[in-house]
Amino acid sequence: MKTALITGLGGQDGSYLAELLLEKGYRIIGAVRDVRRTEDSLPITLKNKVELVAWSMLIQEEMVSVMRHYQPTELYNLAAYSSGAGMYDDPVGIGEVNGLSVVRMLEAVREVNIGIRFCQASSREVFGESFEGLQTECTRVNPRSPYGAAKLYADSMIRIYRQHYGLFACSAILFNHESPRRSLGFVTRKITHGAAKIKLGLSQELYLGNLNACRDWGFAGDYVRAMWLMLQQSQPTDCVIATGESHSVREFCARAFTHLGLDYRQFLADEPAAYRPAESVPLVGDARKAKEVLGWEPQIRFCQLVDMMVDADLQMLKEKNN
Ligand code: GDP
């Protein structure tokens, strides 16, 4: 039986990955900051099916002892820390957790068992204000936030450990990935939750920032499958994981409201505080390498994703208000 150690198990990606690996017969260890809190918030599909262990991203000795105890075959680092809408608050903490902690984990792998396979959830934030319209593994990196810079440092160290020590370590450069489990701070969930509330008469308006902002939005369940596939290959390699499609916030709204039989233009209001500095180049990923190397393709496309999120919010709000 394979054992997977997953940091950030309580988050969106951690829960989808754990569900996937349970289906595949893995033993799942969730390495989390607060065991009690994570236990209480686990989706029903994971309750009593995963083991949780306390883990600090800042203490290397603790990582070593957890790895010694559980002897994982695979380690997925899905824990990340961001702070503030522009991710400029607490740059030291962001650097610690998203950058240096990855090195702590790589060192722990070297100390406990060099055969543990390691997958890092990296981010399209490493490209920052990109120079190219379609971003691949070869696109020039240019992070514009402490978060992007920390993720880039982690990617660099993963490559260095792979080359220098022969570790099976790789980075999945993930573009935006959403789901009904996305937190309300992200625009996708804010829209689907807001639209469902309007449909049920619980709200009259939805306040948003720039409707013309574009993103490459995929489904989180597809993206964790790509991460698993990366660790099943004979050689470790980094891959961009994206849909290759760009859609605007406006298109997302239009689809969400139409799915509910409503016209979004009647319900939107402007929220000046939600505007960000203009982005010059749309963020779109080119996942051709993932397709060639892993045989990976997204199964859920834009419209299905929006509909799935709207339906889940509608259901959840109906249950809550009954
Ligand atoms: P991220 O910025 O890609 O990590 O994801 P978000 O979901 O926070 O934002 C995606 C895009 O939606 C950005 O370009 C925002 O400027 C835009 N956006 C427009 N209105 C809103 C809003 O009300 N909230 C958020 N979070 N983003 C908004």
Side-chain angles (χ1 to χ4, degrees):
M1 186 198 238
K2 282 189 180 179
T3 300
L5 184 64
I6 304 174
T7 73
L9 183 112
Q12 168 187 261
D13 297 355
S15 64
Y16 280 109
L17 180 65
E19 285 170 6
L20 176 77
L21 298 186
L22 277 175
E23 269 174 39
K24 296 187 182 296
Y26 279 68
R27 178 186 184 196
I28 310 286
I29 316 297
V32 299
R33 205 167 25 178
D34 186 332
V35 169
R36 177 81 60 83
R37 237 184 59 196
T38 306
E39 217 154 45
D40 290 345
S41 64
L42 281 178
I44 190 87
T45 49
L46 296 179
K47 287 231 189 293
N48 306 317
K49 295 195 176 121
V50 296
E51 297 160 66
L52 299 178
V53 60
W55 163 288
S56 162
M57 295 295 275
L58 306 181
I59 308 172
Q60 196 174 318
E61 300 78 51
E62 196 176 79
M63 295 174 174
V64 168
S65 71
V66 168
M67 287 190 209
R68 275 229 166 88
H69 181 77
Y70 291 102
Q71 292 292 330
T73 3
E74 295 170 8
L75 169 56
Y76 295 88
N77 183 32
L78 307 184
Y81 167 52
S82 68
S83 145
M87 301 192 266
Y88 292 89
D89 301 349
D90 193 11
V92 174
I94 282 176
E96 274 282 358
V97 174
N98 303 313
L100 207 51
S101 291
V102 173
V103 185
R104 293 188 180 103
M105 272 181 253
L106 294 169
E107 278 295 302
V109 167
R110 276 186 63 216
E111 192 174 333
V112 175
N113 173 4
I114 197 115
I116 298 171
R117 295 186 168 205
F118 180 82
C119 188
Q120 161 74 355
S122 182
S123 162
R124 56 102 185 135
E125 281 286 319
V126 297
F127 299 122
E129 194 86 337
S130 181
F131 305 100
E132 291 164 28
L134 261 183
Q135 285 115 40
T136 72
E137 299 75 11
C138 303
T139 296
R140 203 168 121 197
V141 285
N142 183 31
R144 287 293 168 97
S145 66
Y147 182 87
K151 286 283 187 184
L152 178 58
Y153 170 61
D155 289 352
S156 309
M157 293 305 279
I158 286 165
R159 198 180 55 249
I160 288 165
Y161 272 64
R162 192 160 69 209
Q163 289 164 353
H164 194 74
Y165 298 111
L167 243 66
F168 194 113
C170 41
S171 294
I173 307 163
L174 306 171
F175 277 64
N176 292 47
H177 45 289
E178 319 294 312
S179 77
R181 296 179 192 165
R182 194 59 147 152
S183 66
L184 289 166
F186 289 88
V187 75
T188 52
R189 184 75 203 294
K190 187 174 169 185
I191 294 169
T192 60
H193 188 256
K197 274 175 85 173
I198 290 170
K199 177 72 183 175
L200 296 175
L202 301 168
S203 162
Q204 276 77 46
E205 287 162 319
L206 174 58
Y207 286 87
L208 291 174
N210 182 10
L211 300 182
N212 297 320
C214 289
R215 286 287 184 274
D216 177 336
W217 281 299
F219 171 52
D222 279 335
Y223 287 40
V224 299
R225 182 166 43 81
M227 295 179 78
W228 173 75
L229 282 168
M230 286 172 75
L231 295 195
Q232 313 312 309
Q233 306 305 308
S234 53
Q235 296 296 326
T237 187
D238 303 333
C239 285
V240 161
I241 307 300
T243 70
E245 279 179 34
S246 171
H247 294 276
S248 65
V249 172
R250 186 188 309 280
E251 284 173 79
F252 199 103
C253 283
R255 178 72 198 188
F257 281 84
T258 302
H259 187 62
L260 294 167
L262 302 171
D263 181 347
Y264 77 98
R265 289 169 297 189
Q266 292 171 8
F267 303 101
L268 291 198
D270 199 38
E271 185 173 344
Y275 279 79
R276 313 235 185 109
E279 289 150 359
S280 53
V281 179
L283 301 160
V284 188
D286 178 345
R288 258 178 297 181
K289 179 177 173 189
K291 185 173 181 193
E292 276 160 31
V293 176
L294 313 174
W296 179 86
E297 271 189 292
Q299 285 170 359
I300 305 284
R301 294 288 174 179
F302 180 72
C303 292
Q304 281 168 285
L305 175 66
V306 182
D307 295 355
M308 173 208 294
M309 290 176 69
V310 170
D311 289 340
D313 272 319
L314 199 60
Q315 182 69 23
M316 187 267 290
L317 286 166
K318 274 183 190 161
E319 280 166 17
K320 207 166 126 191
N321 289 284
N322 261 340

